[in-house]
Amino acid sequence: MNRTVSNRIEQNRIDQRFAALKAQGRTALIPYITAGDPAPAHTVDFMHACVEAGADVLELGVPFSDPMADGPVIQKACERALVHGTRLQHVLEMVAEFRQRDSETPVVLMGYLNPIERMGYDIFTRQAQVSGVDGVLVVDMPPEEAGDNAALFAEHGLQSIFLLAPTTSEARAKAICEHGEGYLYYVSLKGVTGAATLDADAVGAQLSKLRRVTELPLCVGFGIRDGATAAAIGRVADGVIVGSALVGRIAERADDPASIPAALKSILGEMREALDHDVPS
């Protein structure tokens, strides 16, 4: 059994949410938005809009000047956020504000090591815990290099979530699964976020192999853009992660932020309905 499953003393919100979804036979819907895009004042409203549309977990991107795993859509979102001076401290404040109305929806921060290093690991972990963050996905912190950082995160109730890709070897996949917590983020495509071609059968075959070595929920991102692609992946995965499709909607309406919550609800509502279509009543 995965050590991080068997040795947990307390379940955090991520574990609780996936346990509830499993009992209901439902697939997790996990939207990603970039904090501070198109301006910091709107992010918390967007987070609540996602939950109202049926999101089960929120991934909140920490703006960074060189988001190497992200395509042009999310790169430009980071640029818009950084123009307004959005920093890691502000992102934590957004989560704290979100928690004033929502104490249940898991929040995962997704980003890169540099902002955490600049703030300081001890300061970050303490403030993240107080703010109500549940997990951290640091793209450039693979499990082989996580070491003390992952232990520090765990000490403050922050689960370390790791990425897997189609090119990940079987041996390395097993090692990643052994270190992972919360859920595993399976990158469905070779390349960066926002790619268009998605083969659900190929993804399903890869997830079947991973299920032999982990009990963690397997969530799939990259290429989820509408209800049809969400439903196709939802049949083989424990969760679907949608990022570029949402961030693209935000970009289209950057000059009219009041219209963005409705736009987010529209695309997520379609996905939620598609994912729940085959769930037994």
Side-chain angles (χ1 to χ4, degrees):
M1 179 180 289
N2 184 289
R3 66 173 180 80
T4 57
V5 173
S6 60
N7 291 346
R8 288 187 187 115
I9 298 174
E10 296 179 0
Q11 283 192 327
N12 85 354
R13 292 183 188 93
I14 299 173
D15 296 325
Q16 293 171 2
R17 182 55 54 93
F18 276 102
L21 289 166
K22 184 176 182 179
Q24 297 163 5
R26 300 173 68 231
T27 302
L29 177 58
I30 307 175
Y32 166 98
I33 60 173
T34 302
D37 175 35
H42 306 294
T43 299
V44 175
D45 287 340
F46 297 169
M47 293 170 72
H48 286 302
C50 290
V51 175
E52 290 165 10
D56 298 295
V57 179
L58 299 177
E59 287 188 352
L60 190 59
V62 178
F64 183 53
S65 58
D66 187 23
M68 57 189 171
D70 297 300
V73 173
I74 293 178
Q75 287 179 16
K76 290 183 182 300
C78 287
E79 291 172 7
R80 289 191 296 271
L82 290 171
V83 163
H84 290 283
T86 309
R87 300 292 184 265
L88 179 55
Q89 179 63 47
H90 303 128
V91 178
L92 295 176
E93 291 168 2
M94 292 171 189
V95 177
E97 183 181 345
F98 173 77
R99 286 284 174 233
Q100 292 176 16
R101 284 177 48 195
D102 188 325
S103 62
E104 297 182 356
T105 304
V107 175
V108 174
L109 297 189
M110 185 172 181
Y112 298 84
L113 269 176
N114 184 270
I116 298 175
E117 289 181 343
R118 290 187 65 181
M119 175 177 278
Y121 289 101
D122 286 323
I123 295 172
F124 166 73
T125 51
R126 293 179 190 280
Q127 291 193 14
Q129 181 180 32
V130 170
S131 297
V133 175
D134 302 290
V136 182
L137 196 167
V138 183
V139 176
D140 51 351
M141 189 184 78
E144 298 92 337
E145 300 175 15
D148 294 340
N149 295 337
L152 184 61
F153 293 166
E155 198 177 307
H156 291 84
L158 307 176
Q159 295 189 322
S160 294
I161 295 164
F162 294 113
L163 295 161
L164 287 154
T167 53
T168 303
S169 69
E170 186 174 341
R172 186 162 188 272
K174 185 175 181 180
I176 292 172
C177 290
E178 289 175 350
H179 287 84
E181 299 175 296
Y183 58 92
L184 291 165
Y185 188 133
Y186 181 77
V187 177
S188 64
L189 306 166
K190 299 175 183 177
V192 297
T193 57
T197 304
L198 186 59
D199 186 339
D201 291 336
V203 171
Q206 291 296 322
L207 296 187
S208 293
K209 295 178 182 178
L210 291 174
R211 293 191 196 283
R212 299 172 194 161
V213 294
T214 186
E215 296 177 5
L216 288 171
L218 303 176
C219 300
V220 176
F222 289 41
I224 311 286
R225 59 188 179 277
D226 52 26
T229 51
I233 294 300
R235 295 185 188 106
V236 297
D238 300 301
V240 298
I241 302 167
V242 54
S244 293
L246 298 178
V247 176
R249 296 286 180 96
I250 293 172
E252 292 168 1
R253 294 161 175 79
D255 294 331
D256 183 19
S259 70
I260 293 175
L264 298 178
K265 288 182 180 181
S266 176
I267 188 170
L268 287 173
E270 176 192 344
M271 292 182 178
R272 181 77 274 166
E273 183 176 357
L275 288 171
D276 290 347
H277 181 71
D278 297 326
V279 176
S281 58

